[in-house]
Amino acid sequence: MIIAVDTGGTKTAIASFNNSGEIISCTKFPTPKSTQEYIKSVSTSIKNMSHNVDISAITIAIPGIIKNDIAAWCKNLGWKNFDVINRLRKYFPHTPIFIENDANLGGLSEAILQRVGDKKVLYVTVSTGVGTGFIQNNQIVPFLQLSEGGQMILEHNGIMQSWSSFASGRAIYDKYKKFGCDISDEKTWLEISSAIAYGLYVIIPLVQPDIIIFGGSIGTYTQKFKKNLTILLSKNLPEYIVRPKILKAAHPEQAVLFGGYEYAISKISNK
């Protein structure tokens, strides 16, 4: 059994996987802001889920920057230098535990599931915040492993602010007082498309991805903004920059969990 933990800015999801990469069970709970409560909730959930079955590995996905296996900075949770692995080892002393950025893991699983081969993939998760992951040859690109695309500072409505502050799921809810599932009018989706496009105007010329895959809670509704986003990118990007293909994640809200499984398998295989 492999356990994957998707730590979100709002909720945390934990899934157990069998050897075929299928989810056996899954549980969710609001993400505690207290690191002590987080470790307690995660460890308790894993123990309840495993039912004394041997755990081959645990992968922890964190929405922030991971340095030297430490959650160095997680803006939406207020965490800094949080040593998740060593804190969890108290409860699982003999189990390999891995940690990685959530968008990196989401991108990894989607690149594998959608069989993109050697194409350059930009994975964008639009949920509580905005996260970016860069994948090629079914591997997280090392040079961009610490990227935090959602924290790019852009001029928007005359104000210098992070991309996440106006394009994330939280920002969308704050502005329209609606979740993605409740938004139906085209005007609102056009405005959302424009907010998402702002960050892509910077990222696409910089890394020139072949494919962009959208995940997260808002990524679930890619079909609602894909057409407008494609038009905006075609209109505003320099003519010599190739327009990436835009895809919806195969598992928009579970991509990180599947990525946690794939990451653990790769780590175990390399040992």
Side-chain angles (χ1 to χ4, degrees), residues 180-193:
C181 59
D182 300 317
I183 300 173
S184 57
D185 61 292
E186 291 189 14
K187 181 178 180 294
T188 300
W189 281 113
L190 176 59
E191 291 175 358
I192 293 170
S193 303

Side-chain angles (χ1 to χ4, degrees), residues 53-75:
V53 175
D54 287 340
I55 302 173
S56 301
I58 299 170
T59 301
I60 309 294
I62 296 289
I65 295 174
I66 309 300
K67 288 185 178 180
N68 300 318
D69 288 337
I70 303 289
W73 182 79
C74 305
K75 184 179 187 301

Side-chain angles (χ1 to χ4, degrees), residues 93-262:
H94 306 298
T95 303
I97 304 174
F98 310 111
I99 187 170
E100 185 51 85
N101 172 268
D102 60 344
N104 287 342
L105 293 177
L108 178 65
S109 70
E110 286 299 320
I112 292 171
L113 283 169
Q114 306 215 32
R115 300 179 181 179
V116 300
D118 62 355
K119 290 183 170 56
K120 292 181 290 184
V121 175
L122 164 60
Y123 179 78
V124 181
T125 176
V126 185
S127 199
T128 301
V130 175
T132 52
F134 299 88
I135 312 295
Q136 189 168 23
N137 294 319
N138 291 339
Q139 294 183 348
I140 299 165
V141 178
F143 179 67
L144 296 166
Q145 193 166 5
L146 300 183
S147 68
E148 279 291 321
Q151 299 308 313
M152 293 187 303
I153 303 302
L154 309 166
E155 183 177 356
H156 184 252
N157 291 335
I159 302 171
M160 300 301 293
Q161 53 188 309
S162 70
W163 187 23
S164 187
S165 68
F166 61 86
S168 65
R170 176 178 288 171
I172 290 168
Y173 181 82
D174 287 346
K175 182 175 181 179
Y176 302 106
K177 306 305 178 188
K178 292 181 179 180
F179 295 106
C181 59
D182 300 317
I183 300 173
S184 57
D185 61 292
E186 291 189 14
K187 181 178 180 294
T188 300
W189 281 113
L190 176 59
E191 291 175 358
I192 293 170
S193 303
S194 179
I196 292 172
Y198 259 85
L200 297 180
Y201 294 149
V202 177
I203 296 176
I204 291 173
L206 189 65
V207 299
Q208 300 194 35
D210 301 300
I211 298 170
I212 301 175
I213 302 176
F214 284 97
S217 57
I218 296 299
T220 303
Y221 306 99
T222 300
Q223 71 276 10
K224 298 283 190 179
F225 61 80
K226 178 180 176 179
K227 181 179 178 181
N228 288 327
L229 183 59
T230 301
I231 292 171
L232 289 168
L233 295 179
S234 296
K235 178 182 177 182
N236 295 312
L237 284 174
E239 61 180 347
Y240 52 85
I241 298 296
V242 176
R243 277 57 174 165
K245 183 178 182 181
I246 296 175
L247 299 176
K248 173 187 172 182
H251 300 289
E253 297 195 75
Q254 292 184 312
V256 176
L257 292 172
F258 280 97
Y261 168 82
E262 297 290 351

